[in-house]
Amino acid sequence: MSDLFDKIVSLSKRRGFIFQSSEIYGGLAATYDYGPLGVELKRNVTQRWWNSMVYQHHNVSGLDAAIMMHPTTWKASGHVDAFNDPLIDDKTSKKRYRADQLIEEYVERLRRKGKEEKADAVYERLVEALNADDMAGALYALIMEEEIRSPDSGVFDWTEVRQFNLMFDTHVGPVSNGENKIYLRPETAQGIFVNFHNVRETGRHQVPFGIAQIGKAFRNEIVARQFIFRMREFEQMEMQYFVKPGTQMEAFESWREKRMQWHIDNGVRPSKLRWHEHEKLAHYADAAFDIQYEFPIGWQEIEGIHSRTDFDLKAHQEHSGKKMEYFDPQTNEKYLPYVVETSAGLDRTVLTLLCEAYREEELDGDTRTLMKFHPKLAPITVALFPLVKKDGMPEIAHSIEEGLKEHFNAFYDEKGAIGRRYRRMDEVGTPFCITVDGESLEDQSVTIRDRDTMNQDRIPIDNVRTYLFDKIAGWKAE
Ligand code: GAP
């Protein structure tokens, strides 16, 4: 991992954003817990997402479907048969790799060495292999031909490539046998599809309309070594937008634009975001783009926008025997709607914000670490400091805190030198620190320090709330 990534992981733990799950037992790989500040950041992200998807669109309704679903759901969706990763084992180190990623990394190495032509040729073969009927065999053949070595041991000693299903399964009821096997959902989307008619009827929606949902998903990821980037238990923020067949590309383009703008409005610099078009389309899609962010570990997907055709509704109609068609009152036609999906990873969005916010600045021979979160997303919006713990300053600070709590997450701290209190707030990304001092006692004014510029404004206590609202509204990412 890069130095920068290590610093972000370390700050996340030190300041209570993210902890390894079950740490006292040595941890559980690829699972993490959100601490007091992490959970605030995550909640702010979900609130912004819900607001922009549900409240800002009169024709989008919310849903919270169960994690456990009837097992036929996953047969219909194609996950039982096709939700596989092609895996290969290094026989010497016993480490397991995703065969396609091994080849992608080899292509990157060729590019870094300036062997562009060769890199292009191998990449073309990789795309062919991913689309081959015998994908595993084709990937294995390519690894053999190129003599791609294991990144960890440097040895060329591979097993064959095998397909490995990523779904976790469990059993309902007291006896475990094949008949009561169920799966932990690997995506939230299917909970939306099976509720298509329920939400449409109760929401009195006509096509086009959308259903939005935030929830946990589970995947038995094999290569899971990148902090909260790839986890086995994670959260998705998904929306399925049902449209008339033939109009899906218009909806696809419109949602692509909106979703990219949402990330930019979170304070992510546009130069750190890009589109990536899928070379190999998933079994359900007729077009697919990812939004990628430039993490310290490289460009990686944070959200997928997929045109899923009528694949899912058709499959559920076939497997359940229930009609999933829509009767269009405008045209008197019956059809299976097509679907445009926006599927964002909540944890990857949080990781994006942590990476984007992390800054180090040289200050008087010292390093100031600050998290430059958008003030709307910062875990703590405003800190209240009495300069000293006497003369009525704590009481004034507490009364300002009380007045702000309804609108902002406000934090009171009276311990330590004021400079150190500012630094602690910089490190967790608190955009505003209000200090009550001697002057406050005389003229009912306070100073408000800006995290980014470190400038301080002196303003009347009565104007604090309006001042904060104005500053938050005018904030721009740099
Ligand atoms: N319903 C479509 C779907 O699930 P996906 O591209 O497999 O599509 C969507 O996943 C998003 O979910 C990804 O862009 C990513 O942000 C997030 N995601 C997927 N697997 C993840 C994992 N193992 N850990 C964290 N986030 C993950």
Side-chain angles (χ1 to χ4, degrees):
M1 271 197 279
S2 78
D3 276 1
L4 176 59
F5 204 63
D6 283 344
K7 284 181 182 174
I8 292 163
V9 173
S10 150
L11 182 140
S12 298
K13 158 128 206 248
R14 194 173 68 249
R15 300 312 311 267
F17 283 91
I18 295 158
F19 308 124
Q20 176 76 61
S21 157
S22 336
E23 198 182 11
I24 60 166
Y25 291 104
L28 180 68
T31 41
Y32 290 89
D33 299 338
Y34 282 81
L37 294 184
V39 78
E40 294 295 339
L41 182 57
K42 202 166 147 183
R43 281 170 66 95
N44 291 342
V45 171
T46 52
Q47 270 166 17
R48 272 214 74 232
W49 187 86
W50 196 262
N51 185 296
S52 82
M53 302 301 279
V54 181
Y55 299 161
Q56 303 286 336
H57 293 94
H58 65 92
N59 65 345
V60 177
S61 292
L63 179 74
D64 186 12
I67 286 169
M68 295 187 283
M69 300 181 69
H70 192 286
T72 310
T73 309
W74 306 109
K75 188 75 194 151
S77 68
H79 284 83
V80 171
D81 297 323
F83 195 51
N84 302 318
D85 269 355
L87 299 178
I88 189 163
D89 290 18
D90 173 345
K91 286 195 236 166
T92 307
S93 71
K94 308 277 182 259
K95 274 209 163 150
R96 187 163 276 183
Y97 298 89
R98 260 183 56 185
D100 55 330
Q101 285 181 353
L102 208 58
I103 301 169
E104 263 176 24
E105 282 162 21
Y106 173 66
V107 169
E108 282 307 310
R109 283 202 297 280
L110 288 173
R111 291 202 198 287
R112 280 200 295 276
K113 287 184 191 156
K115 298 181 179 170
E116 286 294 331
E117 228 170 273
K118 170 86 175 156
D120 287 345
V122 177
Y123 189 70
E124 215 169 286
R125 300 265 323 271
L126 169 64
V127 174
E128 275 168 28
L130 289 170
N131 286 299
D133 288 341
D134 177 16
M135 185 217 277
L139 289 171
Y140 180 73
L142 188 51
I143 290 169
M144 290 298 116
E145 269 171 50
E146 294 300 323
E147 294 189 15
I148 299 175
R149 292 177 172 272
S150 167
D152 292 286
S153 68
V155 171
F156 181 62
D157 186 20
W158 298 111
T159 61
E160 305 246 302
V161 174
R162 282 164 303 136
Q163 294 284 18
F164 180 87
N165 193 289
L166 296 180
M167 280 196 294
F168 281 104
D169 58 49
T170 185
H171 295 88
V172 282
V175 187
S176 69
N177 60 38
E179 279 159 30
N180 57 12
K181 180 158 116 174
I182 59 158
Y183 299 97
L184 298 187
R185 66 181 178 198
E187 61 171 11
T188 57
Q190 298 305 324
I192 291 179
F193 288 121
V194 299
N195 278 295
F196 167 67
H197 281 314
N198 286 338
V199 177
R200 185 185 60 74
E201 282 163 18
T202 54
R204 296 193 293 135
H205 286 300
Q206 290 189 5
V207 167
F209 77 97
I211 306 178
Q213 166 162 236
I214 299 173
K216 291 266 185 180
F218 302 82
R219 294 182 190 178
N220 197 0
E221 299 281 3
I222 301 309
V223 184
R225 304 185 197 111
Q226 292 153 325
F227 192 40
I228 59 166
F229 179 78
R230 199 179 300 285
M231 300 199 284
R232 299 206 166 101
E233 175 181 340
F234 57 99
E235 268 179 271
Q236 292 185 314
M237 303 181 288
E238 295 201 301
M239 195 263 325
Q240 317 296 133
Y241 196 69
F242 300 91
V243 300
K244 185 173 179 192
T247 65
Q248 70 271 23
M249 280 308 141
E250 205 182 305
F252 185 67
E253 289 309 325
S254 158
W255 281 108
R256 266 182 62 183
E257 200 180 304
K258 286 182 191 180
R259 293 307 306 146
M260 181 60 99
Q261 192 57 46
W262 184 80
H263 290 281
I264 294 170
D265 292 344
N266 278 346
V268 183
R269 291 160 291 179
S271 61
K272 304 282 274 180
L273 294 164
R274 73 176 186 193
W275 286 108
H276 168 77
E277 187 172 3
H278 283 212
E279 296 287 353
K280 179 184 184 329
L281 290 172
H283 57 275
Y284 50 72
D286 73 353
F289 278 82
D290 295 335
I291 296 176
Q292 292 187 335
Y293 173 73
E294 190 179 17
F295 289 99
I297 50 172
W299 286 97
Q300 300 280 359
E301 171 188 348
I302 54 176
E303 171 159 358
I305 323 290
H306 312 125
S307 175
R308 283 179 86 126
T309 68
D310 60 359
F311 174 88
D312 301 87
L313 289 181
K314 192 189 269 172
H316 288 305
Q317 178 165 283
E318 278 165 18
H319 283 78
S320 69
K322 300 274 177 343
K323 287 271 175 245
M324 299 304 268
E325 287 164 328
Y326 168 73
F327 175 76
D328 192 331
Q330 319 289 338
T331 59
N332 287 337
E333 287 170 275
K334 236 189 214 173
Y335 55 79
L336 274 172
Y338 270 36
V339 170
V340 170
E341 164 185 78
T342 70
S343 176
L346 172 51
D347 311 274
R348 284 193 194 174
T349 305
V350 169
L351 186 59
T352 300
L353 297 174
L354 288 170
C355 294
E356 188 64 6
Y358 187 92
R359 308 290 163 95
E360 287 178 2
E361 286 177 5
E362 288 314 309
L363 192 71
D364 306 329
D366 200 5
T367 305
R368 176 169 92 114
T369 304
L370 75 155
M371 296 298 279
K372 235 174 169 175
F373 294 122
H374 192 305
K376 275 190 194 151
L377 296 172
I380 301 169
T381 321
V382 55
L384 279 304
F385 301 153
L387 186 62
V388 288
K389 261 193 283 180
K390 55 181 186 182
D391 300 335
M393 292 184 206
E395 287 74 13
I396 297 178
H398 272 308
S399 79
I400 301 172
E401 183 195 4
E402 282 308 311
L404 295 177
K405 268 183 176 167
E406 192 189 328
H407 305 281
F408 310 109
N409 188 14
F411 173 81
Y412 175 88
D413 186 11
E414 58 181 22
K415 289 189 215 85
I418 195 79
R420 297 190 65 176
R421 281 184 259 169
Y422 285 147
R423 291 299 179 85
R424 276 204 296 268
M425 285 297 109
D426 288 343
E427 222 192 1
V428 299
T430 305
F432 309 106
C433 293
I434 299 179
T435 303
V436 176
D437 54 18
E439 240 178 286
S440 315
L441 305 173
E442 287 160 21
D443 65 4
Q444 293 293 297
S445 70
V446 286
T447 63
I448 305 190
R449 174 189 179 268
D450 181 294
R451 172 198 65 199
D452 303 341
T453 61
M454 292 186 291
N455 291 338
Q456 301 195 15
D457 286 338
R458 178 133 223 135
I459 62 151
I461 291 173
D462 285 348
N463 296 354
V464 165
R465 205 164 57 185
T466 324
Y467 175 96
L468 294 180
F469 276 125
D470 288 350
K471 280 277 185 184
I472 293 169
W475 191 86
K476 294 246 168 350
E478 279 163 24

